[in-house]
Amino acid sequence: EVAAAIAEMARLPNVSSIQIDFDATRSERTFYHEVILAVCRRLPASVALSITALASWCSDDDWISDLPIDEAVPMLFRMGPDGRQIRNRVASGEEFSAPPCRRSYGISTDEPLRNLSAAKRLYVFNPDAWTESSVRAITDLRK
């Protein structure tokens, strides 16, 4: 039912990709993997599938590289104790070891990062309401 509901979104006008945001615990990974497979079977080839990913999934805890996804967006905010190390590696230009995580970044307006590759897609999350100044602050990071 979950996969059918997600895939149904592809029928909406002007949908070119769908992103799933689910921070699966270790015990939920099998379920999440099965949901992703079921979504892929239902999506038309013209609709890409993206997931958000904990930064650890993109590096030392890679369980996502074999998923049939077009992109995994590493969430570079609200990370655990290794967050500073991960942010420093990303800022220095180091790539994530998991290939699906090499096309984009996910950041938050309240934890901005500098020195991110302008060649990668940037997903910006905001825990507050969007304002002109919050958009400008993120835009200024890319200059």
Side-chain angles (χ1 to χ4, degrees):
E1 289 179 36
V2 171
I6 293 169
E8 184 66 25
M9 304 244 194
R11 295 179 187 243
L12 296 172
N14 303 315
V15 172
S16 60
S17 66
I18 291 176
Q19 185 174 80
I20 303 172
D21 182 7
F22 182 63
D23 295 340
T25 63
R26 284 189 191 276
S27 65
E28 296 168 326
R29 290 180 183 180
T30 299
F31 165 78
Y32 192 27
H33 189 271
E34 291 172 6
V35 167
I36 290 170
L37 292 175
V39 169
C40 286
R41 284 192 299 270
R42 290 172 168 84
L43 283 182
S46 61
V47 176
L49 181 60
S50 170
I51 66 168
T52 59
L54 299 179
S56 61
W57 298 354
C58 296
S59 53
D60 61 328
D61 187 22
D62 176 10
W63 66 276
I64 61 173
S65 284
D66 69 334
L67 293 174
I69 56 175
D70 297 289
E71 172 186 57
V73 182
M75 298 289 97
L76 301 176
F77 58 95
R78 291 175 189 66
M79 293 186 281
D82 58 347
R84 174 169 279 179
Q85 179 186 25
I86 291 170
R87 282 189 289 273
N88 288 341
R89 288 192 332 235
V90 168
S92 73
E94 187 176 322
E95 289 286 354
F96 283 106
S97 57
C101 298
R102 296 180 186 162
R103 296 181 193 105
S104 59
Y105 301 120
I107 65 170
S108 179
T109 57
D110 62 341
E111 294 183 38
L113 290 176
R114 298 197 180 280
N115 303 321
L116 296 176
S117 170
K120 296 185 184 202
R121 185 176 309 177
L122 186 64
Y123 292 87
V124 182
F125 300 83
N126 189 346
D128 300 312
W130 284 101
T131 63
E132 183 178 338
S133 63
S134 63
V135 172
R136 188 174 301 118
I138 293 299
T139 304
D140 290 346
L141 287 175
R142 295 299 277 220
K143 292 181 180 176

